[in-house]
Amino acid sequence: MRKLTMVLFSVLLLNFMVSNASAYTYSLESHEGKDGEIQIEVIGNGTGEVQLQVNVVGDVLGDLRGLFFDYDSESDIQITNSSDVTSWDADDNLDKSLANMMKGTQQTFDAGAEIGTNGISKDDISSTTITLTSSSAISIGEEFGVRVTSVGADREDSRKYLYVPDEFGKIVEENTTEEISEVTDSEESVTPPGTPAPGGGTDTSPTPEPGTMLLLGAGLAGLAVLRKKYRKN
């Protein structure tokens, strides 16, 4: 009977992890209405390890210099496996040098990471991945900021890009385990969990996932086999 209990617990735990691990791709736009686009993919939100993949996309060149975001975690978060990060702060009062990177945007953030060095003589970073870890689940918020320097064909401009719901940017892609749903029309949007539904209330309806069904089916099959063995004994 103990084996049956352990198998059932494992199936439920895996089911919970699969159903809650998700990824969203956010498109950031210049707060001054300039051209260019930054995309941030958040992978594993709601778990103890979250990846933030930041990319300069489109035809406008740029050197990534800072990433800023909000988060909710019961314990301190740490950065691992991110060689491009030169300084890091996760505090309600960000280090002044980091906070100044987004000065003039009227946005404040819980955490900030300086990326690379000034100028493009030593590095010219258009894509980077930052891994966050914590002993408890990390919940990344719905606002992002990115500072980009050496922008444009002459590499002499600098810009600040934002994702702020209903103000700047948009969600362009949702990837929940194995299933990807792309937005193909500007009027469509991918709704993150907990977003108010039209007409009031909160949209909490579950979305069936292939990975979840496979895990559940495998768990039930395992239970059936163990039950037969238990009866024989």
Side-chain angles (χ1 to χ4, degrees):
M1 188 56 109
R2 182 178 297 177
K3 289 183 179 180
L4 288 173
T5 303
M6 290 301 295
V7 171
L8 181 58
F9 175 77
S10 298
V11 171
L12 292 175
L13 179 60
L14 287 171
N15 183 38
F16 175 81
M17 292 172 64
V18 169
S19 62
N20 283 275
S22 61
Y24 291 90
T25 300
Y26 299 85
S27 172
L28 284 65
E29 62 183 10
S30 165
H31 83 295
E32 295 178 326
K34 296 182 179 181
D35 57 356
E37 179 187 0
I38 304 296
Q39 286 190 358
I40 299 178
E41 184 175 8
V42 182
I43 302 173
N45 201 14
T47 70
E49 181 175 307
V50 177
Q51 282 191 346
L52 303 177
Q53 296 182 355
V54 189
N55 297 284
V56 178
V57 298
D59 298 328
V60 179
L61 300 174
D63 180 25
L64 294 171
R65 290 289 290 120
L67 168 66
F68 302 86
F69 58 93
D70 294 329
Y71 75 96
D72 181 19
S73 176
E74 294 181 0
S75 62
D76 293 337
I77 59 176
Q78 302 293 328
I79 286 185
T80 59
N81 301 327
S82 303
S83 59
D84 292 331
V85 174
T86 50
S87 67
W88 157 256
D89 191 15
D91 197 331
D92 290 337
N93 296 310
L94 282 182
D95 178 81
K96 188 175 181 180
S97 62
L98 281 171
N100 284 342
M101 284 190 177
M102 299 304 291
K103 188 175 181 179
T105 63
Q106 310 303 317
Q107 298 294 322
T108 58
F109 299 94
D110 296 333
E114 181 182 9
I115 301 171
T117 58
N118 283 321
I120 56 176
S121 60
K122 293 183 178 180
D123 53 45
D124 186 7
I125 302 171
S126 61
S127 177
T128 190
T129 298
I130 295 176
T131 302
L132 308 174
T133 59
S134 173
S135 58
S136 61
I138 303 171
S139 178
I140 300 298
E142 284 289 294
E143 295 185 1
F144 298 93
V146 172
R147 177 65 183 271
V148 183
T149 59
S150 302
V151 179
D154 56 9
R155 309 306 299 272
E156 293 183 357
D157 198 4
S158 66
R159 297 176 190 174
K160 300 163 187 176
Y161 292 86
L162 294 172
Y163 174 82
V164 179
D166 302 322
E167 292 186 47
F168 297 99
K170 60 184 178 180
I171 298 177
V172 294
E173 186 177 281
E174 175 190 8
N175 178 7
T176 305
T177 58
E178 301 174 0
E179 194 171 29
I180 295 178
S181 176
E182 294 186 358
V183 175
T184 56
D185 188 278
S186 59
E187 296 182 356
E188 294 181 27
S189 63
V190 179
T191 305
T195 302
T202 301
D203 184 5
T204 58
S205 56
T207 302
E209 301 170 5
T212 301
M213 299 306 295
L214 286 172
L215 282 173
L216 185 58
L220 291 174
L223 284 173
V225 171
L226 286 176
R227 189 174 181 182
K228 287 182 179 179
K229 289 184 178 180
Y230 178 76
R231 285 182 174 176
K232 290 180 180 180
N233 296 331

